[in-house]
Each structure stands twice: as C-alpha cells, then as structure tokens.
C-alpha cells in the first residue's frame, strides 16, 4: 500500500531550490504538490519543519498494489457517475420524494420509497454495465441485460428507473438494490475509527470517505456477491454506504472495464 500526501505552502526561492534537489518541482510563492510517503518524504519532513509561512500537509489517499487487491476476498468499489438524479435543482428536490428518511444536514438517507428519475436513456459505452449518480454514491444502476445474466440469478433485487420528463420506465437500465451486509466491519481501533465523527443532526457515526488504509474485515463472512456496508461514510452534506463486492464479481467488472482495479480498496483479511 502506498500512501500519498498533499503539501502546499508559500515557498521562498531557497526552499524551491531545496525541493528541486528532492526531485520536487514548485514555483516561488504559493504552490502545491502530491508526494508518496517513503524515503523522499522523510527527507522532506525535515525541510518542512523549518518552513515559516503557511503550510498544509495532509494525507490524501492510498493506492494498493495489484497483489494486495488480488489477495482480497472482498473489495470496496467506486463506480463512475453518469449524470444527476432528477429533478437536479438541489439534493432536496428529489431526495424528499425518493426516501422515507432524509437528513438535509448530513445527507443521511434510508428506506427508498420510489424509483430514481434520470434525465435520458443512458448512452452506454462499449463495455459499460454499471454506473452511479452524482450525490448518490451508493446507488448502483446496471444495464438491464447484465442484470438478467449476472445479478438476477444471485437473487439481487432491483427497481425500475424512470425517465424524468416522460415518466416512462427506462428501457436499458434498472437500479440494483444490494442488501445491507448482515455483518458489520471491525472498525474499532482501525485507521477509519481515528477519522470519524458523530453528526450533530442525527447522532450517527460517519467515517471519512478517504481511502486511508485497508477497509477493516467483516465481523463474520457475509457470503455475499455484492452489498452495502452497515457503516456510513462521507463528509459535510453527504453520507453514503460503501459498495462491497466479492472477488468473483470484482474480477468480472474489471474484465468489462467497468471499474478501475487500482482505485478499489481491499478489505483486510
């Protein structure tokens, strides 16, 4: 696993020269860069201690090796977003009609009561079979023929999707309804437990959406092909569950080039 950090500062000419010696190119004045943790970053830390101006040094993401991904039985995936839910004036314009429970402060929602509306029939790329929507990062929309072939035999439920202006049922896409995992993740003492908050509005624990480490393993093996986590992730006005798939579904989606293998997060063993 490779950890990355975002560094920004108001650099002097002397600091620019020192950074260049480390292979880091910045301009005099305010500038930023991303660096992987390791030997070069350790040398950089010593230089940053002497920086007198404003400085930002924050953890930004982790990237996992192919072996770490291949060795995992379950993985969290990120789907490409394909448009907005309708009507899209703001989140509240559709959420209050779509979910029975909806918090406008933290973005928590639950108990979907009606179908999502999308602007138009999806224009599918060659190998595309799944997508999500902006603002709804735990929503899963699947090409209808792929649902019939892969997910229906697994008894994964679905909903129709509506075209907004006409109100007609979309012909090529359905919403997949993955179950919430019967098992919680072992979050206690994990990296994510150190980057969590309790929302003032709903008094719910919400974990950072940043991928900072392996996701904790399940308390027990849920034996699922695809599910949503019990745990909530996000920040500010958004809250969502992680989408988890087993290795078989993961490999299938990678083969179809529907997901990026290296932006996925394996669960620890």
């Amino acid at each position: 696993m490779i950890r990355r950090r975002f560094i920004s500062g108001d650099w002097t000419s002397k600091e620019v020269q020192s950074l260049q010696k480390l292979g880091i190119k910045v301009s005099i004045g305010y500038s930023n860069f991303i660096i992987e943790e390791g030997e070069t970053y350790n040398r950089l830390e010593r230089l940053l201690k002497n920086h007198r101006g404003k400085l930002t040094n924050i953890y930004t993401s982790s990237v996992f090796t192919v072996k770490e991904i291949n060795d995992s039985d379950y993985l969290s995936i990120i789907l490409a977003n394909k448009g907005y839910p309708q009507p899209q004036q703001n989140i509240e314009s559709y959420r209050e009609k779509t979910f029975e429970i909806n918090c406008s402060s933290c973005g928590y929602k639950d108990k979907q009561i009606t179908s999502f509306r999308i602007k138009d029939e999806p224009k599918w790329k060659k190998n595309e079979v799944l997508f999500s929507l902006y603002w709804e990062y735990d929503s899963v929309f699947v090409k209808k023929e792929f649902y019939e072939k892969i997910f229906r035999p697994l008894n994964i439920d679905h909903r129709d999707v509506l075209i907004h202006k006409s109100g007609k049922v979309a012909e090529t896409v359905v919403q997949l309804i993955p179950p919430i995992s019967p098992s919680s993740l072992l979050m206690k003492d994990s990296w994510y437990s150190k980057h969590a908050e309790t929302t003032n509005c709903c008094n719910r624990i919400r974990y950072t959406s940043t991928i900072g480490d392996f996701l904790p393993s399940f308390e027990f093996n849920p034996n699922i092909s695809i599910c949503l986590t019990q745990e909530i992730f996000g920040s500010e006005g958004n809250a969502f569950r992680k989408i988890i798939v087993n290795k078989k579904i993961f490999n299938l989606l990678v083969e179809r080039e529907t997901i990026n293998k290296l932006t996925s997060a394996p669960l620890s063993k």
Side-chain angles (χ1 to χ4, degrees):
M1 179 177 65
I2 302 169
R3 286 194 167 101
R4 293 173 173 168
R5 302 192 72 85
F6 173 85
I7 313 288
S8 69
D10 189 6
W11 312 110
T12 65
S13 58
K14 184 176 180 180
E15 287 174 326
V16 168
Q17 292 175 7
S18 298
L19 290 170
Q20 287 177 343
K21 290 179 182 178
L22 296 176
I24 301 168
K25 295 182 179 181
V26 294
S27 304
I28 296 173
Y30 182 82
S31 187
N32 61 71
F33 57 92
I34 292 176
I35 185 172
E36 295 178 356
E37 291 185 355
E39 183 178 344
T40 300
Y41 175 71
N42 293 338
R43 293 166 62 192
L44 173 65
E45 271 196 309
R46 293 192 287 271
L47 185 153
L48 295 179
K49 288 179 181 178
N50 297 320
H51 181 74
R52 295 184 178 181
K54 186 177 180 181
L55 179 71
T56 300
N57 180 357
I58 58 174
Y59 176 78
T60 181
S61 64
S62 288
V63 177
F64 300 91
T65 66
V66 172
K67 184 179 186 306
E68 289 169 335
I69 290 172
N70 289 342
D71 286 348
S72 183
D73 295 327
Y74 292 104
L75 300 103
S76 167
I77 62 172
I78 299 173
L79 299 179
N81 298 314
K82 201 178 185 73
Y84 290 85
Q86 299 296 313
Q88 71 175 69
Q89 287 84 352
N90 55 60
I91 290 180
E92 291 308 306
S93 64
Y94 71 88
R95 273 196 179 171
E96 62 185 12
K97 298 177 182 179
T98 308
F99 297 96
E100 182 178 321
I101 299 173
N102 173 41
C103 178
S104 59
S105 296
C106 71
Y108 177 80
K109 78 278 184 183
D110 199 10
K111 297 183 180 180
Q112 185 175 342
I113 54 177
T114 191
S115 296
F116 274 103
R117 290 173 173 261
I118 58 176
K119 189 173 182 178
D120 299 298
E121 194 74 43
K123 295 179 180 178
W124 299 94
K125 296 178 183 178
K126 183 178 179 181
N127 293 311
E128 190 177 26
V129 292
L130 290 180
F131 66 86
S132 187
L133 294 175
Y134 290 105
W135 299 335
E136 298 296 333
Y137 303 111
D138 50 8
S139 63
V140 183
F141 297 87
V142 57
K143 201 170 188 177
K144 190 172 287 188
E145 62 190 54
F146 192 77
Y147 171 78
E148 295 294 341
K149 181 179 179 180
I150 302 298
F151 292 114
R152 185 184 286 280
L154 296 172
N155 295 317
I156 306 297
D157 202 1
H158 75 286
R159 275 183 179 270
D160 288 334
V161 179
L162 303 180
I163 305 301
H164 182 48
K165 284 189 176 181
S166 68
K168 293 181 178 179
V169 174
E171 296 179 0
T172 65
V173 63
V174 295
Q175 182 190 356
L176 194 69
I177 309 295
I180 294 177
S181 171
S183 173
S184 60
L185 299 175
L186 295 172
M187 302 300 276
K188 185 178 180 181
D189 299 326
S190 70
W191 182 90
Y192 295 90
S193 70
K194 299 171 185 175
H195 297 82
E197 62 178 352
T198 300
T199 60
N200 294 326
C201 48
C202 299
N203 199 36
R204 298 179 189 278
I205 297 176
R206 181 171 61 179
Y207 299 93
T208 178
S209 57
T210 299
I211 299 174
D213 201 345
F214 288 86
L215 275 176
S217 61
F218 286 114
E219 184 178 356
F220 60 86
N221 189 344
N223 291 315
I224 49 84
S225 55
I226 183 170
C227 71
L228 301 179
T229 59
Q230 293 184 15
E231 294 75 18
I232 303 299
F233 298 81
S235 62
E236 298 182 349
N238 213 323
F240 58 92
R241 304 176 192 271
K242 293 277 190 181
I243 304 169
I244 308 293
V245 296
N246 66 11
K247 185 178 293 187
K248 182 178 179 179
I249 295 296
F250 180 79
N251 289 337
L252 179 61
L253 296 178
V254 170
E255 288 172 9
R256 296 295 298 259
E257 300 179 355
T258 291
I259 58 173
N260 185 334
K261 185 172 187 174
L262 295 180
T263 61
S264 304
L267 273 66
S268 57
K269 292 280 190 176

